[in-house]
Amino acid sequence: MAVGLGVNDFIACCGSTKFAEQMVADGPFDTYDKAVVAAKNIWFNKVDVHGWLEAFAAHPQIGQNPSSAANKSSTSVQWSKGEQSTALATATDSSLQELYEWNSQYKQKFGFVFLICASGRSTPEILAELKRRFSNRPIVEFEIAAQEQMKITELRLQKLFSNVDVTKAEGRVTILGGHLTAPSIPTRVRPPITTHVLDIARGCPAGGIEVLLEMYTSQKSGPVFGQSGDDMWTFQGSSATDKDGRSGQLMKIVNELTPGVYRISFNTGKYNPDGFFPFVSIVFEVKASQKMEHFHVPLLLSPFSFSTYRGS
């Protein structure tokens, strides 16, 4: 049983008072998955328009101080800072200014802040998505914002369940055979390696790009610069990017990622036959001390250049 979760805990996950109160009423939840199922039902079927707007208002504009939002939760403020860390790390003075201007235009048009699940997303990617969604009709954008809020809520519920201190159960945990048993809390809700592709020439996500993930499995030392070693790479999974530029699942959801060298490849030639790159491969290493971490490896692509970085 997840203990010690009250209205304030759920407010940190979603700024709607109605949502938080209903989560408490429907709980407690003995697993994260059950909490997510309840949260989706409450958010989409029980929270009204006013509750959606209340939750939106709890978020700061991307790139601004989270404390500036109409937020009831200090925990939410801290989580917002972490979720925007990749965006801020990839921002420049000019891109932040452009983001501020587009945020202002967006809020003037739709009446609420631009909402996006920012975790692991760069400033260029967020700007491209903001510009793309700006042309939406208000009713369409309102629904998209609600869906983005749900993505944020899922991520924060995972953090909430991971932080539950079972020692606070005060006798309410189950005792079997004289031993305390705590709930099995998943440490991941997505595969440990993910990616997305942004077409920076067009300023939009790149959909339909084939993606391949492999792992170097030789018993010898890792791959050496200048030596192909193609027979040493083992298939892990493949997928294609969707309309948001995000690939499907490239590997199983496991708590501990096997340390080693990985290679993620993109069939860029098929996406843009006139481009310079027939394909792009990115090789990176996961160390033993990083096996519990998440590796988000995005590709920022144009016909004659590409770049990448490690997101979260």
Side-chain angles (χ1 to χ4, degrees):
M1 177 183 295
V3 298
L5 300 182
V7 171
N8 290 337
D9 296 302
F10 292 116
I11 280 285
C13 299
C14 175
S16 163
T17 303
K18 172 68 174 178
F19 171 86
E21 292 175 344
Q22 193 64 52
M23 285 291 287
V24 172
D26 288 5
F29 308 101
D30 56 5
T31 67
Y32 161 79
D33 290 335
K34 290 180 180 179
V36 169
V37 170
K40 288 182 177 180
N41 178 55
I42 293 169
W43 177 246
F44 289 113
N45 299 320
K46 297 182 179 180
V47 177
D48 60 17
V49 170
H50 299 292
W52 281 14
L53 290 173
E54 182 186 18
F56 297 169
H59 292 278
Q61 291 187 2
I62 300 293
Q64 289 194 334
N65 188 338
S67 301
S68 63
N71 209 311
K72 307 179 184 69
S73 168
S74 59
T75 301
S76 180
V77 170
Q78 292 302 313
W79 284 347
S80 289
K81 291 179 180 179
E83 290 157 1
Q84 293 192 32
S85 60
T86 298
L88 294 177
T90 57
T92 62
D93 290 343
S94 60
S95 63
L96 281 176
Q97 179 61 33
E98 186 178 10
L99 189 60
Y100 173 79
E101 293 172 355
W102 275 94
N103 269 322
S104 298
Q105 294 179 51
Y106 178 97
K107 189 171 184 179
Q108 184 176 8
K109 176 179 179 178
F110 296 108
F112 49 85
V113 299
F114 173 69
L115 204 60
I116 187 171
C117 186
S119 182
R121 298 195 179 201
S122 67
T123 292
E125 182 185 3
I126 291 172
L127 257 174
E129 182 67 3
L130 197 165
K131 293 175 182 178
R132 184 185 70 81
R133 284 168 49 184
F134 186 77
S135 61
N136 288 337
R137 290 178 297 142
I139 189 64
V140 173
E141 186 58 23
F142 195 47
E143 176 67 25
I144 292 174
Q147 293 170 359
E148 291 296 318
Q149 172 62 60
M150 191 65 241
K151 293 177 185 178
I152 296 168
T153 301
E154 289 185 54
L155 288 177
R156 294 184 175 185
L157 281 172
Q158 195 275 332
K159 297 174 185 176
L160 187 63
F161 269 67
S162 296
N163 290 335
V164 169
D165 184 358
V166 296
T167 63
K168 295 179 181 178
E170 298 179 350
R172 287 177 288 172
V173 293
T174 305
I175 300 179
L176 295 175
H179 298 281
L180 287 176
T181 61
S184 176
I185 301 173
T187 56
R188 295 190 192 273
V189 295
R190 53 183 174 174
I193 298 176
T194 56
T195 187
H196 69 265
V197 185
L198 177 65
D199 188 330
I200 58 177
R202 300 176 181 174
C204 64
I209 294 184
E210 298 170 355
V211 185
L212 171 67
L213 179 65
E214 301 164 290
M215 183 181 182
Y216 191 79
T217 54
S218 172
Q219 297 300 316
K220 302 178 181 179
S221 60
V224 178
F225 175 74
Q227 299 179 11
S228 62
D230 286 338
D231 57 337
M232 304 298 184
W233 293 95
T234 302
F235 174 83
Q236 299 294 302
S238 63
S239 182
T241 56
D242 60 17
K243 62 181 179 62
D244 295 320
R246 295 183 175 271
S247 74
Q249 189 166 315
L250 295 172
M251 65 186 309
K252 294 180 180 179
I253 300 178
V254 293
N255 283 340
E256 294 187 7
L257 177 60
T258 302
V261 178
Y262 291 83
R263 180 170 68 184
I264 188 167
S265 302
F266 305 84
N267 191 353
T268 51
K270 184 176 180 180
Y271 173 76
N272 185 1
D274 297 325
F276 185 68
F277 305 101
F279 67 91
V280 170
S281 290
I282 300 168
V283 178
F284 59 97
E285 183 176 7
V286 176
K287 301 186 182 300
S289 61
Q290 300 173 311
K291 62 184 180 181
M292 300 300 293
E293 297 180 18
H294 177 252
F295 290 79
H296 187 67
V297 188
L299 180 68
L300 308 181
L301 181 68
S302 74
F304 300 102
S305 68
F306 71 89
S307 62
T308 187
Y309 59 92
R310 184 194 164 183
S312 60

